[in-house]
Each structure stands twice: as structure tokens, then as C-alpha cells.
Amino acid sequence: MKLGPVHNFCLLSVMSGLVVVGTGLRAGESAITSAPTTVVWKLDKVASVNGHEPEVLGAPQVTEETVSGRALRFDGESDGLVFPVNPLANWTTFTIEVLFMPEVNGASAQRFMHIEDDSGSRILMETRLRAGKSWALDTYLHSANGKDDCPLLDTTKLHPVGRWAW
């Protein structure tokens, strides 16, 4: 998948057979209004998510085989959704929640979320599969100022593939 120079975007995708249902980008307080708000981006259709029309890469499929209804299934090679907006823009605090299911035959390293702003600050979420039986979550927060890089990968915290996880 080649995206080229894209700024202020959100890419949600790329696990082999990944099913994503409840990707929630929950922002706690806006830097602009200072009013508590919750914003949820639920990936259960391709055409529009939270009022934003994504660029659709490949052919993500809507599926009903989840613990809480419809979800999107990505093929891990060419499927993805690219949004021309940053869902976390202007937020001082946020929580990212994802309900997903890594499948047994997925690639060993699978990025399924990438949010980046114009300054180069970014958030990545990936899995690291072990022998097709378990996975560990790999996250990375990078601040463009170079002072606030926060990688998190604990390969002792393993989870079974083929099951739903938050």
C-alpha cells in the first residue's frame, strides 16, 4: 500500500483478516471549548464514518460476525480507510478504544491504526503475532517536538488470536 505524502489523516486498516467493530476515538476535553465531550468513530460501514467520507483502499467488507453487530474486515494487504481529517485535532486528552480480532493466519507485524497531524506527531497501533497462536499489542506515540516518544510493547502480555479483544 503506497499512500504518498498525506497529512492530517487517519488510516484504519491493514491486518490480515482483521475485523474492527468499535474503534472509538474518545476525546475527553477540547482545547477549544474546554467542554467534556465524547466522540466515537464506529467502523461498521465503508461509505461514511462519523460524517466523514474516507478514501477507500481495496475492498474492506462489512461483516455481521462480531460480538456487538456489524464490523469491517480488512485483508491485510490492500484494504484500508484513509480520512482527510484528524479525529483528535484540538483535543488535550483522549482515549482510543478498539474492539478487534486478529486472525490466526495474519502477518507477524500488523499496523491497524495510524493517526498523524501536520506537524508529524502520530499515534500507531499494531499487533505482534507469535507463531500464529497469540499476539501482543504494540503502540507508539510520537510528538513532533521529539521529546515525547512513548513506545509500548510488552511481549509477556500475550492474547489468543481468533478472539475478540478490547
Side-chain angles (χ1 to χ4, degrees):
M1 175 183 344
K2 183 171 177 152
L3 297 177
V6 179
H7 297 284
N8 209 21
F9 77 98
C10 175
L11 168 66
L12 301 161
S13 115
V14 298
M15 291 178 94
S16 179
L18 171 73
V19 183
V20 179
V21 66
T23 299
L25 304 173
R26 298 185 185 278
E29 190 171 294
S30 168
I32 296 173
T33 65
S34 296
T37 306
T38 298
V39 177
V40 177
W41 286 41
K42 188 169 183 183
L43 298 181
D44 60 358
K45 56 186 174 280
V46 175
S48 175
V49 176
N50 201 39
H52 300 283
E53 185 177 326
E55 175 186 353
V56 179
L57 305 176
Q61 299 294 308
V62 176
T63 179
E64 298 285 340
E65 58 185 73
T66 73
V67 295
S68 65
R70 294 185 331 174
L72 292 181
R73 178 180 292 275
F74 299 94
D75 72 359
E77 294 178 16
S78 60
D79 290 351
L81 300 178
V82 179
F83 295 88
V85 297
N86 180 342
L88 301 176
N90 301 316
W91 294 96
T92 57
T93 62
F94 58 88
T95 300
I96 298 173
E97 298 175 354
V98 180
L99 175 61
F100 67 107
M101 181 179 57
E103 293 200 13
V104 175
N105 297 322
S108 62
Q110 304 175 36
R111 179 177 299 165
F112 61 92
M113 190 190 69
H114 180 147
I115 299 173
E116 187 169 340
D117 68 13
D118 291 332
S119 72
S121 295
R122 63 188 172 274
I123 301 167
L124 307 173
M125 293 180 83
E126 307 180 15
T127 60
R128 298 290 183 252
L129 269 63
R130 302 283 182 173
K133 296 181 180 182
S134 61
W135 60 272
L137 184 64
D138 185 3
T139 61
Y140 181 69
L141 301 174
H142 170 75
S143 176
N145 69 16
K147 298 177 184 175
D148 300 317
D149 284 354
C150 299
L152 177 61
L153 171 61
D154 185 347
T155 57
T156 67
K157 306 281 188 203
L158 298 176
H159 311 279
V161 295
R163 294 188 187 164
W164 290 99
W166 278 103

